[in-house]
Amino acid sequence: MLYDTLIRNALVIDGSNRPGYTADVAILDGRIARIGDLQDVSASEEIDAAGRVLAPGFIDVHTHDDTVVIRQPQMLPKLSQGVTTVIVGNCGISAAPVSLRGDPPDPMNLLGSAAAFVYPRFRDYRAAVEAANTTLNVAALVGHTALRSNHLDDLFRTATDAEISAMREQLRESLEAGALGLSTGLAYASAFSASTDEVMQLTEELKAFGAVYTTHLRSEFEPVLEAMDEAFRIGRHAQSPVIISHLKCAGAGNWGRSPQLLASLEVAAKTHPVGCDCYPYAASSSTLDLKQVTDAHRITITWSTPHPEMGGRDLMDIATEWNLSLLDAAKRLQPAGAVYYGMDENDVRRILAHPLSMVGSDGLPEDPFPHPRLWGAFPRVLGHFSRDVGLFPLHTAVHKMTGLSAARFGLKERGEIREGHWADLVLFDPATVRDVADFNDPQRAAQGIDGVWINGVLSYRDGQANGQTAGRFLARQGDLRDGFR
């Protein structure tokens, strides 16, 4: 038999959290056909991978790539770091189902202008992804704030029974069309007024589908433990798995509390399926939130609608130049985006190393001057945190970005290198892989990524995308509770 691709002599780190082994891997018709000593086998293309690691393609569980996967389907920031699947619709904001009455409310504007929101039903979004011939695989959550914007005339109150009923109907239709579950962004002003009961009633739709509840907590600052308790209450009520988005100790007054947060996560996990994702940086990025304006740490402006020339500059410098207070300068810049240097490195490391945490970039592709996580999150885990710092072995780093993520989100036959699985693969040099993007020059491709295959198609090689578009829309499969057992 002639295989499509044969990758020889690779150190296979298979995504299962077991140490690697040397083997050849044969690909046929988009799937991993054989693994082992394949000296007597031939293929249309053969690659000698001696000295390289072959891993499952990385799964970015926390993205805001909802509309970019359609408008810019080459997805170079993700492809270049070995990402083969993105999960969109996080933090309560999704491209669908959405019917805007004007400009998208904050923070839905992170996904683009009103022109980007043209999917009134989830199935419309799914069809658009399938028609876009995207490079990457795409799976999607439904955003709570998106549902609120469809049905509430005022986002600064909790929903009425009639509005909750209408939101539930849209959520149910979306789950029937393959959505993974519901996400919330309760910290944002457009969802903060939603009562716990409003969210609980919505999540009642998840149980019948075995769907997941993910949440950007109501607070990541001092009340973070109370916010975690709320998330677990909602999950238990829904009998649905809970994933806490970008778990962190935000704000200087919160530094050093990661052991408390992780203990809370562990206690909840004893009786209910829970987990978290995190990104490997001690700075966050979102829209410019007046409640987060402080002189306790640095804040960099990533974009500003009235003052685009201020992108990439520190808020402190802008305020000094304008002879204004930090708060007044922030008000003048709005609407805007910002990077907040508001975390402690030791907290980041503890959360990243925890067995319940997955890796997600939380990158913002619409930012003209983005946080470097958009281009660098996954190689940073491999190079900086695993190889250089020694936070965990390489096979654990890979597991946090592949097998664990696929299990949590029910991405069947992905996330591990096994015969019969889809051939989403990344080949990298363990000695040189590293993130090059930084806060001064954030749009730079990683080093050490030699090849990326998506559904068996080589789509990135030696630092160059080749225009192949083998990505697919990944509808929810099975009961996502199973992946937490």
Side-chain angles (χ1 to χ4, degrees), residues 273-321:
V274 304
C276 69
D277 67 63
C278 62
Y279 46 81
Y281 299 85
S284 63
S285 182
S286 187
T287 51
L288 179 58
D289 177 8
L290 298 181
K291 297 198 303 288
Q292 293 190 51
V293 171
T294 177
D295 60 3
H297 56 73
R298 190 176 157 208
I299 299 172
T300 303
I301 300 304
T302 55
W303 58 271
S304 166
T305 299
H307 295 282
E309 73 280 3
M310 294 303 176
R313 294 191 59 189
D314 281 6
L315 179 60
M316 183 77 75
D317 294 341
I318 297 168
T320 301
E321 185 174 303

Side-chain angles (χ1 to χ4, degrees), residues 13 40 173 210 225 275 282-283 320 323 326 372 376 397 405 458 461-462:
I13 296 183
D40 56 342
E173 288 175 357
L225 287 173
T320 301
N323 196 27
L326 286 177
S405 309
L458 182 61
R461 186 171 193 171
D462 299 329

Side-chain angles (χ1 to χ4, degrees), residues 247-249 258 261-262 276-278 346-355 357 400:
L247 184 62
K248 64 172 77 77
C249 301
S258 53
L261 273 61
L262 294 169
C276 69
D277 67 63
C278 62
N346 292 321
D347 288 321
V348 173
R349 292 184 182 191
R350 281 190 205 100
I351 293 168
L352 184 62
H354 196 274
S357 73
K400 286 177 166 292

Side-chain angles (χ1 to χ4, degrees), residues 173-227:
E173 288 175 357
S174 300
L175 293 166
E176 288 169 350
L180 294 171
L182 177 73
S183 77
T184 56
L186 299 175
Y188 290 105
S190 49
F192 187 79
S193 296
S195 66
T196 305
D197 185 63
E198 174 186 322
V199 182
M200 279 183 169
Q201 288 190 58
L202 288 177
T203 59
E204 288 170 5
E205 297 294 336
L206 301 177
K207 180 184 175 184
F209 296 90
V212 70
Y213 174 62
T214 76
T215 179
H216 177 150
L217 295 168
R218 201 177 286 274
S219 177
E220 297 174 328
F221 291 83
E222 278 76 359
V224 61
L225 287 173
E226 293 83 351

Side-chain angles (χ1 to χ4, degrees), residues 59-66 69 75 78 83 85-91 93 111 138-139 141 277 360-365 374 378:
I59 298 166
D60 191 344
V61 298
H62 193 103
T63 84
H64 297 287
D65 295 331
D66 305 49
V69 292
M75 293 298 294
K78 298 299 174 67
V83 170
T85 298
V86 293
I87 293 176
V88 304
N90 285 283
C91 296
I93 56 179
L111 304 185
V138 181
L141 296 153
D277 67 63
S361 72
D362 198 16
L364 300 176
L374 179 67
F378 292 84

Side-chain angles (χ1 to χ4, degrees), residues 65-76:
D65 295 331
D66 305 49
T67 63
V68 170
V69 292
I70 296 168
R71 292 182 287 116
Q72 299 171 24
Q74 68 277 10
M75 293 298 294
L76 190 61

